[in-house]
Amino acid sequence: AQSVTQLDSQVPVFEEAPVELRCNYSSSVSVYLFWYVQYPNQGLQLLLKYLSGSTLVESINGFEAEFNKSQTSFHLRKPSVHISDTAEYFCAVSDSRTGKLIFGQGTTLQVKP
Amino acid sequence: ETGVTQSPTHLIKTRGQQVTLRCSSQSGHNTVSWYQQALGQGPQFIFQYYREEENGRGNFPPRFSGLQFPNYSSELNVNALELDDSALYLCASSSGGNYGYTFGSGTRLTVV
């Protein structure tokens, strides 16, 4: 069975500091990996995804994540965060056969001024 | 292009009642999935429909059922509501191929 573990439930950080949100997964089959962001009282927005190819993927707003197959990780990083990055972040894996998403428990990123 | 729209946005129901939630998929998307997100938790997969057929189901009882229509819009029906059914219900659509899903803003269901 596939599963996703987000190692930190809350990550407080000051504005303009770097941040890393950790995600590990377990799967016996090929997977696709995703990070979604959820702002208060909203649905999920796709931040970035790894399907194949380069193991480093980037989003348009400065986030990046690196797929590490040997460590079964897909950590999300940003070199300098903004107040507006405060949100809930979900890591997810997709079953390569059915496409269903399996989510982690989420990490709350709290950016302080 | 339009995104995924869900209705209603909020709903309050009494235990034992039945509820229907609706979702309009993003244009061109033929796959729709429903997720339940309890407070403080990650979304949990309920089921998925592809071209009007259910092609995947999570660990939810049969009182959770769904439909997908020829225009790829979808419904989630829940019978005999329980207090623990209180959650945010998210609909997501995809064009297939595991390229990621587009989520709606969700329906907040409260069962009292």
Side-chain angles (χ1 to χ4, degrees):
Chain A
Q2 297 170 322
S3 65
V4 176
T5 302
Q6 292 184 242
L7 298 163
D8 306 292
S9 59
Q10 293 189 351
V11 174
V13 63
F14 286 104
E15 194 174 18
E16 297 184 6
V19 70
E20 178 180 79
L21 307 183
R22 297 179 292 169
C23 172
N24 285 92
Y25 70 92
S26 66
S27 176
S28 59
V29 299
S30 297
V31 295
Y32 303 107
L33 296 158
F34 305 84
W35 275 99
Y36 283 86
V37 58
Q38 186 175 36
Y39 297 100
N41 301 313
Q42 294 189 25
L44 302 174
Q45 298 176 29
L46 179 64
L47 195 57
L48 46 74
K49 61 190 175 189
Y50 171 78
L51 303 179
S52 64
S54 173
T55 57
L56 184 66
V57 291
E58 299 177 348
S59 72
I60 59 173
N61 56 356
F63 283 95
E64 65 178 31
E66 185 163 17
F67 169 56
N68 188 319
K69 188 174 182 179
S70 63
Q71 297 186 6
T72 59
S73 67
F74 191 55
H75 300 332
L76 181 69
R77 303 184 183 94
K78 189 170 185 179
S80 176
V81 294
H82 303 287
I83 294 287
S84 60
D85 293 324
T86 294
E88 190 79 12
Y89 290 80
F90 292 96
C91 180
V93 299
S94 172
D95 184 305
S96 59
R97 183 177 57 86
T98 67
K100 94 178 180 186
L101 290 169
I102 299 168
F103 287 88
Q105 293 288 85
T107 297
T108 303
L109 176 61
Q110 301 165 322
V111 182
K112 305 175 183 179
Chain B
E1 67 185 9
T2 59
V4 176
T5 57
Q6 293 186 242
S7 62
T9 55
H10 295 83
L11 199 55
I12 300 175
K13 288 287 190 177
T14 302
R15 189 172 51 184
Q17 285 187 313
Q18 178 267 343
V19 68
T20 297
L21 310 182
R22 295 179 173 83
C23 171
S24 293
S25 301
Q26 182 166 317
S27 177
H29 286 186
N30 56 18
T31 302
V32 66
S33 300
W34 286 90
Y35 291 80
Q36 180 195 67
Q37 186 180 17
L39 200 61
Q41 303 293 318
Q44 298 291 316
F45 176 75
I46 303 176
F47 45 57
Q48 177 171 286
Y49 281 82
Y50 171 70
R51 294 186 176 179
E52 304 176 58
E53 297 287 331
E54 183 180 299
N55 74 339
R57 189 176 182 92
N59 188 26
F60 281 81
R63 60 189 184 85
F64 285 78
S65 63
L67 284 172
Q68 187 182 29
F69 300 100
N71 66 354
Y72 302 134
S73 65
S74 175
E75 286 183 354
L76 164 65
N77 299 288
V78 187
N79 294 320
L81 284 166
E82 300 177 359
L83 296 179
D84 286 348
D85 295 333
S86 295
L88 180 67
Y89 288 85
L90 296 165
C91 170
S93 71
S94 168
S95 58
N98 294 301
Y99 296 126
Y101 286 81
T102 301
F103 281 81
S105 296
T107 294
R108 174 73 62 188
L109 172 65
T110 302
V111 182
V112 298

